[in-house]
Amino acid sequence: MKLTKALCCALTGLLVPAFLSGCFGGGGNDNGGGNGNIPTGPLDDGDLVYDENDNIVYNGVELKMWSVTTGDDAVVQDSIIAKFNELYDGMIRVTTTHTSRYDLETLMNTTMQFDRANAPDVFFSHGSRAGEYVDKGWLLPIEPYMEKAGIAVDKDDYVEALLDASSVNGHLYGLPQDVHSAMVVYRADILEKNGLEVPSNYKELIATCEAAIDLAKAGNLWIRGENSSGIPATEWRKAPVSTAYEPFPMAYGDMWVHEFVGFTAAVQNGATFVAEDGKPAWNSDEAAEGLQVLRDFVMPSDNSENKYALTKEYGSEYDVGNAPLRMGNSIFKFLGPWEYAKDLTEYGRLLSDDGGADNIGTMTVSNLFAKDTTKEYANKIKGEGHAFMLMETVTSRTKQCAAMVFADWMVNNAGVEWAKRGHLPSLKSVENSSEYRDDPAYAQYISKWGSCDDYVVMPSTKYYSYVDKYFKDSVQQAMSSQFKNSAVKSILQQKYDDCVGYIDLYA
Amino acid sequence: MKPVRTTTLREYAFKREKLNNRARSAGSLAFFFGPYFICFIMFFAFPLVLGLIMSMSSFTSNSVYPAEFVGFSNFKTVFTNPVMIKDFWSSVWYTIRFALIIVPLCIIIPLALAMLINLKPPGYKIFRACIYLPGIFPLTATGLILLRMFSYHNGFINALFDISVDWFGQTGTAWFMVGLFCIWGGIGGNFIIFCAGLENVDKSLYEASGIDGASPWKRFLYVTLPGIKPQLVMCIFTSLCGYMNLYGQNYILLSNTPDQDSVMTAVFRIQNMLLGSSRSYGYVAAMGIILGLIIAAISAVQMIATKERQGGNKRVSAFVDWKKSQ
């Protein structure tokens, strides 16, 4: 009995102080209700040291950056940063930690709550998320620090949509580096052999695909590629009549469809994503029309432009994969541009006896889902842009300025190397520079991905996660046979109601 | 002058020994109980009480610490808000329905297998290991094997039976796959417990009942089941608690199912509500508490239903008394 009492006392003694100290704001990050720590006047010099020419002295400043890039992107980014470190040797040194987009925010959240001393100085993530990050109190507005570092931000040189995405209440929280989206890879050899045109808009895409299907049905479609029948990849053969030919395979679980194509289909038909108040705006007829286009690709109806399905239904399969295109069983596929270099290598090897990598081509998704190509938004592509953001935990003025010097250098100098990975520059001056345009990769494929100006990104909203997730859920359902009896508009409306329901609840 | 209090050598030795004994007891207590006590405080008592506090608090977007005490407001919201009713309560209902189906299966199947193994056929040790094997693999690995086997276009099962079923795409088949996953990967534990229980059933009771002419079914009903009742009750309890907290199986198999609302378990829903900022934490904590209470209530019903009846003992006592009086 005594032991029980003693245990109870000990338990209470341990728990009560812990709760009292831990709860109700203790240790929390209070920086003005999540509106960001906005300086109200000119910045003081803090710990800045100037030389005789009034230039800031950077002496061994160590900057820590967390980056959302992984894999080959991370390798390229590291090589570009290595050039910066070499140039600023002894002055500024940047070390980068790469973390997958699926883990990065959780890691940052935990760090900003419990381990702020180890938070990074610079955060390289998607600019559209700045609104949410600012709401969490993670970021500083960069313009005052750019100004202090003596760097002028020429807003006219940047793609407007990218600046808007990183701005909250008129303050810029991220310096946009690039924009990227999904693009299309096509089998130029199959198109040419069968006398088919490379499509440039929605109607042409359907015409090309249906012509291929008709040829296949008649046993006249020539295909070639890797196969298991012992026929060399370069040898032409007729597509089998027994199985339906799928010129453009797509799955709703496919990352490209999920992240980019659904949004692009909506935007090319006039949809907007975010309303003035930051809530979703995609419960519109325009968005429904865009998703209907995708649904028709998978499940054509009497009212659809295409009479054949352009793809078989992949259902819950995560990914179409590369096999259909490689085997010649399809003509088009969606791909992240950062993987295109790999494809060039692969087809160079596969078809090395007959043209190699020239047998494939690439193009943007511009106009491919627009029912009315005369509209000004028909050629728009929904992308995502990376931006350099300054963390709220950086208190040293020298570090803050050094971070701005680094961000500015990266934006101006990553150029064509970064663009080869599908990340088109955010600066028009970089895009128009001779160094960028004269690179062979520009003529070969970068130019096929259009200009940064063709891209739109999700506007800034502190409800980003909700606006994004519920729309993606709508895309998934619109393309699923399980929901084929539900009108696309009703799917969108239901998801919109759920999304707004949660936003209002948490507000 | 105060009288000097003297202590006899015996008293001194007694007190000294008493103190030593206490020190030894306290030391042993601290040594054996201390680690558990610390873990209990850190991983059970603290989270539980913090969860209670969180469930009665509101949160801002930029802190994981409670901002304001709001009493039972979050609980009220969980019961009255239309979005919560639609999402959370439907998930709870899906979970309960699934548990009601899967728990009996996760008892009957391993029990049947354990009884077969208990017959000790040739190579029974290999069979025993094979049955337990899926349980030792990580959930993710087993899930990926299932995803591959039942893949819509490239799966071995669809090819074998020449069918075209999107097992993970349609709500009904998706739940079937989760059930299969639970049985495949989850019966091993119960199976081992039943094997051990069956080993301990008194063999003479089978012989006696056989001599009395009891059929195999009656032997199972009146000898086997009572003999493994403690194991049975424990397995039902742990399975019920486990499947009411179902999350990993659905997460691995059904993340690509288009109708997410109809394949979401309660814990999955709670986890999903952590999306975005920390504003949802109060509601999430309230949901966690409510789910815990629901599981506790269901478990209590199950424990009461399987409780040892006193009536049987009374009859035995009456019989013994009667026998003595003869």
Side-chain angles (χ1 to χ4, degrees):
Chain A
M1 200 64 191
K2 278 182 182 174
L3 184 68
T4 315
K5 277 184 183 173
L7 283 173
C8 288
C9 288
L11 197 68
T12 315
L14 279 167
L15 290 176
V16 169
F19 292 142
L20 289 178
S21 64
C23 295
F24 302 110
N29 163 32
D30 185 10
N31 60 4
N35 289 322
N37 193 359
I38 304 164
T40 48
L43 293 175
D44 59 35
D45 283 345
D47 59 352
L48 286 178
V49 176
Y50 292 90
D51 64 11
E52 63 276 10
N53 298 320
D54 263 359
N55 293 320
I56 298 172
V57 175
Y58 297 108
N59 189 12
V61 180
E62 293 281 339
L63 289 177
K64 197 163 66 172
M65 183 173 89
W66 284 6
S67 171
V68 74
T69 59
T70 51
D72 291 342
D73 272 1
V75 174
V76 173
Q77 191 179 38
D78 282 347
S79 70
I80 298 168
I81 292 171
K83 285 181 193 164
F84 172 84
N85 286 338
E86 198 180 316
L87 190 69
Y88 282 83
D89 187 29
M91 300 162 72
I92 304 170
R93 179 171 180 77
V94 180
T95 50
T96 312
T97 306
H98 300 275
T99 309
S100 146
R101 62 192 293 167
Y102 303 107
D103 301 323
L104 187 62
E105 286 189 17
T106 311
L107 182 65
M108 184 65 91
N109 210 16
T110 311
T111 307
M112 290 300 282
Q113 293 295 339
F114 304 111
D115 191 20
R116 290 167 70 84
N118 285 315
D121 306 307
V122 180
F123 190 27
F124 184 74
S125 185
H126 296 118
S128 294
R129 292 184 178 264
E132 205 164 69
Y133 297 159
V134 171
D135 191 46
K136 289 178 178 179
W138 291 358
L139 306 180
L140 289 172
I142 60 169
E143 281 171 293
Y145 303 95
M146 296 287 280
E147 193 183 329
K148 197 72 189 169
I151 300 163
V153 181
D154 180 5
K155 290 192 173 179
D156 293 335
D157 196 16
Y158 282 90
V159 174
E160 195 182 350
L162 298 179
L163 283 177
D164 287 348
S166 301
S167 300
V168 180
N169 298 328
H171 300 279
L172 187 63
Y173 283 88
L175 197 64
Q177 155 103 342
D178 62 67
V179 69
H180 52 273
S181 182
M183 50 74 168
V184 174
V185 179
Y186 59 87
R187 287 290 298 265
D189 55 345
I190 296 179
L191 287 173
E192 191 187 336
K193 178 80 174 174
N194 292 285
L196 301 169
E197 294 293 321
V198 178
S200 61
N201 60 43
Y202 173 61
K203 287 193 173 157
E204 286 179 18
L205 175 69
I206 288 173
T208 301
C209 289
E210 295 204 318
I213 295 169
D214 279 333
L215 284 170
K217 279 185 171 178
N220 293 325
L221 183 73
W222 288 103
I223 60 168
R224 66 175 179 176
E226 194 175 68
N227 68 90
S228 56
S229 309
I231 305 170
T234 47
E235 191 175 313
W236 289 100
R237 63 187 191 276
K238 294 280 178 70
V241 183
S242 54
T243 50
Y245 192 73
E246 48 161 357
F248 202 158
M250 58 186 88
Y252 58 68
D254 210 337
M255 181 191 168
W256 323 122
V257 174
H258 203 235
E259 294 289 339
F260 301 110
V261 173
F263 284 102
T264 301
V267 84
Q268 285 184 6
N269 287 282
T272 50
F273 300 124
V274 181
E276 288 280 311
D277 55 3
K279 290 180 183 176
W282 39 251
N283 61 325
S284 60
D285 292 336
E286 291 81 6
E289 191 164 26
L291 298 195
Q292 185 67 47
V293 166
L294 294 182
R295 171 181 276 194
D296 290 344
F297 282 177
V298 188
M299 297 170 285
S301 66
D302 294 340
N303 302 322
S304 57
E305 188 81 22
N306 51 308
K307 60 179 187 288
Y308 302 134
L310 309 191
T311 171
K312 69 182 172 191
E313 208 220 339
Y314 278 80
S316 61
E317 300 267 280
Y318 176 72
D319 210 336
V320 168
N322 295 316
L325 195 80
R326 197 170 54 221
M327 295 163 81
N329 291 336
S330 70
I331 301 173
F332 304 97
K333 75 167 177 179
F334 290 120
L335 190 71
W338 47 93
E339 295 202 354
Y340 188 61
K342 263 187 198 167
D343 268 25
L344 287 174
T345 311
E346 189 184 344
Y347 284 88
R349 179 189 52 76
L350 188 72
L351 301 169
S352 58
D353 294 341
D354 187 12
D358 289 345
N359 288 292
I360 59 167
T362 181
M363 61 188 200
T364 67
V365 290
S366 187
N367 275 314
L368 290 189
F369 315 106
K371 283 204 153 178
D372 185 352
T373 49
T374 61
K375 300 285 187 191
E376 74 276 11
Y377 41 72
N379 65 339
K380 291 294 174 194
I381 303 160
K382 192 271 177 180
E384 268 187 349
H386 291 121
F388 292 94
M389 303 173 205
L390 180 62
M391 295 301 294
E392 194 262 346
T393 46
V394 187
T395 51
S396 156
R397 194 71 79 226
T398 310
K399 266 196 167 187
Q400 289 163 342
C401 292
M404 294 300 97
V405 170
F406 166 68
D408 186 58
W409 187 92
M410 288 293 287
V411 168
N412 280 282
N413 293 282
V416 76
E417 287 309 311
W418 196 234
K420 280 178 189 171
R421 305 283 314 148
H423 306 300
L424 304 179
S426 58
L427 283 174
K428 291 166 198 166
S429 56
V430 173
E431 193 185 356
N432 293 323
S433 67
S434 57
E435 187 202 351
Y436 185 80
R437 300 235 163 178
D438 292 346
D439 194 285
Y442 180 78
Q444 192 185 1
Y445 56 90
I446 296 172
S447 59
K448 308 287 194 310
W449 297 334
S451 156
C452 214
D453 267 332
D454 300 335
Y455 290 76
V456 291
V457 293
M458 183 89 83
S460 169
T461 169
K462 64 179 178 180
Y463 309 121
Y464 180 93
S465 293
Y466 288 91
V467 176
D468 183 64
K469 181 194 178 301
Y470 281 88
F471 183 76
K472 285 175 182 170
D473 289 350
S474 308
V475 175
Q476 197 169 18
Q477 292 193 353
M479 293 178 72
S480 162
S481 62
Q482 195 180 351
F483 289 86
K484 67 182 172 192
N485 295 325
S486 306
V488 174
K489 185 69 198 295
S490 75
I491 292 171
L492 279 168
Q493 190 59 45
Q494 198 205 331
K495 289 290 166 195
Y496 173 85
D497 291 342
D498 284 0
C499 182
V500 172
Y502 279 114
I503 289 172
D504 288 345
L505 178 65
Y506 299 149
Chain B
M1 193 178 166
K2 284 185 180 177
V4 178
R5 191 172 180 276
T6 56
T7 306
T8 65
L9 189 61
R10 186 185 170 82
E11 278 176 347
Y12 172 76
F14 179 74
K15 277 184 181 172
R16 188 69 194 249
E17 186 58 30
K18 203 175 167 184
L19 277 172
N20 283 346
N21 279 342
R22 276 189 184 170
R24 267 197 297 274
S25 301
S28 302
L29 189 72
F31 183 76
F32 290 108
F33 188 64
Y36 170 76
F37 183 71
I38 291 166
C39 290
F40 176 78
I41 296 288
M42 281 174 66
F43 302 116
F44 181 77
F46 182 77
L48 179 68
V49 182
L50 186 61
L52 277 168
I53 292 173
M54 286 173 74
S55 69
M56 295 183 184
S57 310
S58 67
F59 289 75
T60 60
S61 63
N62 61 352
S63 174
V64 293
Y65 295 98
E68 196 184 342
F69 182 76
V70 293
F72 288 97
S73 165
N74 292 335
F75 289 92
K76 190 182 161 194
T77 304
V78 173
F79 282 99
T80 56
N81 184 280
V83 182
M84 292 281 184
I85 291 170
K86 187 172 94 55
D87 283 357
F88 176 65
W89 289 106
S90 69
S91 301
V92 170
W93 179 228
Y94 281 125
T95 312
I96 291 173
R97 278 196 293 180
F98 181 73
L100 288 176
I101 294 167
I102 201 70
V103 171
L105 288 175
C106 282
I107 298 298
I108 293 166
I109 294 171
L111 179 58
L113 290 169
M115 288 175 70
L116 286 174
I117 292 294
N118 200 41
L119 296 174
K120 296 190 171 48
Y124 75 96
K125 284 183 180 172
I126 296 169
F127 289 120
R128 194 167 58 191
C130 288
I131 293 166
Y132 188 67
L133 205 59
I136 65 169
F137 288 122
L139 207 62
T140 320
T142 326
L144 287 175
I145 293 169
L146 268 184
L147 280 171
R148 286 278 177 190
M149 281 175 67
F150 287 84
S151 165
Y152 185 15
H153 290 298
N154 308 309
F156 153 72
I157 297 294
N158 277 357
L160 183 70
F161 296 103
D162 196 22
I163 49 175
S164 179
V165 179
D166 187 2
W167 296 95
F168 306 102
Q170 309 289 323
T171 308
T173 51
W175 274 111
F176 171 77
M177 291 311 302
V178 173
L180 190 65
F181 191 6
C182 292
I183 291 168
W184 187 27
I187 60 168
N190 286 354
F191 166 76
I192 290 294
I193 292 168
F194 286 139
C195 280
L198 288 170
E199 285 284 335
N200 291 329
V201 178
D202 193 346
K203 300 290 178 290
S204 65
L205 292 176
Y206 287 111
E207 288 166 16
S209 57
I211 292 165
D212 288 347
S215 64
W217 171 245
K218 287 201 169 175
R219 267 184 275 170
F220 168 74
L221 213 57
Y222 297 113
V223 179
T224 310
L225 277 188
I228 59 163
K229 191 172 179 184
Q231 290 83 3
L232 202 59
V233 171
M234 194 192 79
C235 285
I236 294 173
F237 178 74
T238 53
S239 300
L240 187 68
C241 291
Y243 291 121
M244 281 300 292
N245 284 302
L246 188 71
Y247 170 70
Q249 288 88 341
N250 289 53
Y251 178 75
I252 294 163
L253 295 186
L254 309 184
S255 286
N256 227 5
T257 306
D259 191 3
Q260 282 291 301
D261 285 338
S262 62
V263 293
M264 220 168 253
T265 61
V267 176
F268 201 163
R269 177 69 72 186
I270 290 171
Q271 176 71 24
N272 257 23
M273 282 190 65
L274 296 171
L275 180 76
S277 74
S278 45
R279 285 197 184 97
S280 61
Y281 286 11
Y283 304 113
V284 167
M287 286 180 195
I289 302 284
I290 291 167
L291 182 65
L293 290 174
I294 291 170
I295 296 171
I298 294 173
S299 302
V301 170
Q302 179 248 315
M303 295 302 270
I304 291 166
T306 53
K307 196 178 167 188
E308 187 72 50
R309 298 287 167 214
Q310 295 302 310
N313 290 338
K314 278 179 188 171
R315 287 197 194 95
V316 171
S317 307
F319 175 76
V320 170
D321 291 342
W322 172 79
K323 197 77 177 166
K324 279 181 185 168
S325 65
Q326 296 304 303

